[in-house]
């Protein structure tokens, strides 16, 4: 059974940085795609960034140039580097992974506040 555990969330001032980590365990073969989603209070869960097993990445327009997703199938951790954080980045961030089926982590809170 695959498990995804996020860490690295917290409180940060506008303009600051955080790095989220998603630790992967229980997998017997490589993932197809990994992604970070976020959900702000009262809003839907939205895709933030995705990485494919070949290394291709994609980002939501709202985070392009500020966030970077990284990781490879040989390592059991995927990261989301978040720079120049804005108030509107406040949300619970979830790690997502796809093998034969999809898996979700429990989420980590990111709060951007002055």
């Amino acid at each position: 059974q695959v498990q995804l555990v996020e860490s690295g969330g917290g409180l940060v001032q506008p303009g600051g940085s955080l790095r989220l980590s998603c630790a992967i365990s229980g997998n017997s073969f490589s993932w197809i795609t990994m992604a970070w989603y976020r959900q702000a209070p009262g809003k839907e869960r939205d895709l933030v960034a995705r990485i494919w097993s070949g290394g291709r990445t994609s980002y939501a327009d709202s985070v392009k140039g500020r966030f970077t997703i990284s990781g490879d199938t040989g390592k059991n951790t995927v990261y989301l580097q978040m720079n120049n954080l804005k108030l509107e980045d406040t949300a619970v961030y979830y790690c997502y992974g796809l093998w034969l089926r999809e898996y979700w982590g429990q989420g980590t809170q990111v709060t951007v506040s002055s």
Side-chain angles (χ1 to χ4, degrees):
Q1 180 76 359
V2 174
Q3 289 190 318
L4 306 177
V5 179
E6 303 97 333
S7 62
L11 174 64
V12 64
Q13 292 185 340
S17 298
L18 283 175
R19 189 176 78 158
L20 304 184
S21 299
C22 176
I24 305 164
S25 62
N27 56 304
S28 57
F29 56 95
S30 301
W31 43 264
I32 297 171
T33 181
M34 298 290 297
W36 287 93
Y37 285 74
R38 67 185 180 188
Q39 187 168 21
K43 296 188 177 181
E44 295 185 351
R45 189 175 297 188
D46 293 325
L47 177 65
V48 175
R50 180 183 296 278
I51 185 167
W52 295 90
S53 57
R56 182 170 60 89
T57 59
S58 61
Y59 298 90
D61 288 342
S62 60
V63 307
K64 281 181 181 176
R66 302 189 297 122
F67 290 12
T68 303
I69 188 171
S70 62
D72 61 60
T73 56
K75 299 179 181 178
N76 281 341
T77 307
V78 174
Y79 301 97
L80 184 68
Q81 178 67 43
M82 305 186 295
N83 298 328
N84 190 21
L85 283 160
K86 303 178 179 180
L87 296 176
E88 53 265 38
D89 294 320
T90 295
V92 177
Y93 284 71
Y94 296 92
C95 181
Y96 164 95
L98 178 65
W99 284 259
L100 294 179
R101 49 154 285 194
E102 57 185 28
Y103 294 88
W104 291 90
Q106 293 299 306
T108 185
Q109 176 71 47
V110 171
T111 302
V112 184
S113 175
S114 55

